[in-house]
Amino acid sequence: MDGIELAARFSYITNSLRYCGPEEAAKQFLDYINKNASAESVRESIKKFEGLYPYLSVIAQKAKMDFLDYDVVEAYWLGNPILEKFEDDDMKEIIEKLMSRGLPKSIGKDLIKKMPHGFVPHHNFNVFYVGVGRTTGAVETNLQNMDNCRVSWGKVVDILGSNLIVQSRPLKKENGMLTIGDEETKTAVYIKDMLPSLKKNDYVALHWGFACLVLDDKQLENLIEYTGRILKTVNSCN
């Protein structure tokens, strides 16, 4: 799998729901995954994603890679050592870029002003700190949408057609602090052509209730680690 496919897998569901990116992108993503679309068409569509592209471009610049290199895309969606290169000023630069893509300037300036030390440019930073829906205005910024939009992980316990039964841990708010709750059973959806070898006990990445990737052990470890780190830093603001 290359970085373009990895980006397509995570961005497919949000584009299908019309939350971000150009209307034609979802079909392009599926076509690319099925080897029926050009890399260039997908690259151009991803550049039009309001929130995604600013992150990928800044991560790529820091890593001296292309914005759709696999390691760059993985760093944003799941986490990997590239994120360790980032400092507070880099995170403020990302928010500046988000303001040029739709994030209200009043919100962006306040986020920069009060930003605590220690953030990294992972997708869950965008969800928990910048705020789900704030750049595009597509969804309300609330706990349920934060839980839906964050990249989470679930263990597959059953496969029922295009539905999965997974054990996952929901986002909770307790005493004003965001935390990951205890395991619960929930339903997710998936596309068989996207995960043809999926089986029980696999761990999958979940994004808006859609299973887009089977996680290997290191990816799962990184996702858990960086989610926890970002939550800790967000909670330090309270």
Side-chain angles (χ1 to χ4, degrees):
M1 185 186 307
D2 62 15
I4 298 175
E5 180 177 339
L6 188 64
R9 284 171 174 267
F10 279 98
S11 299
Y12 167 78
I13 188 62
T14 49
N15 189 254
S16 296
L17 294 169
R18 300 303 308 124
Y19 291 162
C20 54
E23 189 172 346
E24 67 275 10
K27 183 179 184 304
Q28 291 174 340
F29 292 162
L30 285 181
D31 286 345
Y32 188 83
I33 291 166
N34 291 314
K35 317 301 181 189
N36 292 321
S38 71
E40 192 55 39
S41 65
V42 176
R43 287 175 66 88
E44 291 306 308
S45 286
I46 288 174
K47 286 180 180 179
K48 297 174 184 176
F49 275 68
E50 296 85 351
L52 175 62
Y53 183 65
Y55 284 96
L56 294 184
S57 63
V58 173
I59 295 169
Q61 182 179 16
K62 178 67 75 170
K64 296 181 172 56
M65 296 178 180
D66 183 80
F67 78 97
L68 285 174
D69 277 354
Y70 185 92
D71 287 348
V72 170
V73 177
E74 184 186 62
Y76 175 69
W77 288 112
L78 300 173
N80 65 32
I82 290 175
L83 298 183
E84 302 302 328
K85 299 176 180 287
F86 281 80
E87 299 176 354
D88 296 345
D89 285 346
D90 301 315
M91 301 307 299
K92 293 175 182 179
E93 178 187 350
I94 289 172
I95 292 178
E96 293 278 0
K97 288 181 178 291
L98 292 173
M99 285 192 284
S100 72
R101 307 276 286 202
L103 180 68
K105 286 184 169 53
S106 59
I107 292 175
K109 289 178 179 178
D110 187 55
L111 291 172
I112 289 172
K113 182 179 179 181
K114 70 179 186 182
M115 182 183 289
H117 171 69
F119 278 130
V120 293
H122 187 280
H123 176 70
N124 290 344
F125 161 81
N126 190 70
V127 175
F128 299 150
Y129 186 71
V130 177
V132 57
R134 281 181 168 168
T135 299
T136 64
V139 298
E140 185 179 348
T141 306
N142 59 34
L143 184 65
Q144 183 61 58
N145 285 333
M146 290 167 68
D147 196 25
N148 288 333
C149 188
R150 72 183 179 103
V151 177
S152 60
W153 56 94
K155 184 178 182 179
V156 177
V157 296
D158 207 354
I159 302 171
L160 305 170
S162 61
N163 292 323
L164 304 177
I165 307 301
V166 298
Q167 289 284 341
S168 65
R169 300 176 62 188
L171 185 70
K172 301 283 188 180
K173 195 165 191 178
E174 299 174 354
N175 300 318
M177 301 289 187
L178 292 172
T179 185
I180 302 297
D182 295 333
E183 276 194 352
E184 296 180 359
T185 301
K186 64 185 289 186
T187 302
V189 297
Y190 85 115
I191 297 174
K192 188 171 292 190
D193 287 347
M194 195 180 285
L195 301 177
S197 302
L198 183 68
K199 61 187 183 300
K200 291 181 183 180
N201 297 319
D202 281 343
Y203 278 90
V204 290
L206 300 169
H207 191 210
W208 287 99
F210 180 73
C212 58
L213 182 73
V214 175
L215 298 168
D216 64 30
D217 291 345
K218 188 61 180 177
Q219 289 171 328
L220 177 61
E221 179 184 328
N222 284 338
L223 180 55
I224 293 171
E225 177 186 344
Y226 286 106
T227 298
R229 188 187 303 188
I230 291 163
L231 282 174
K232 183 178 179 180
T233 307
V234 168
N235 287 332
S236 73
C237 300
N238 298 326

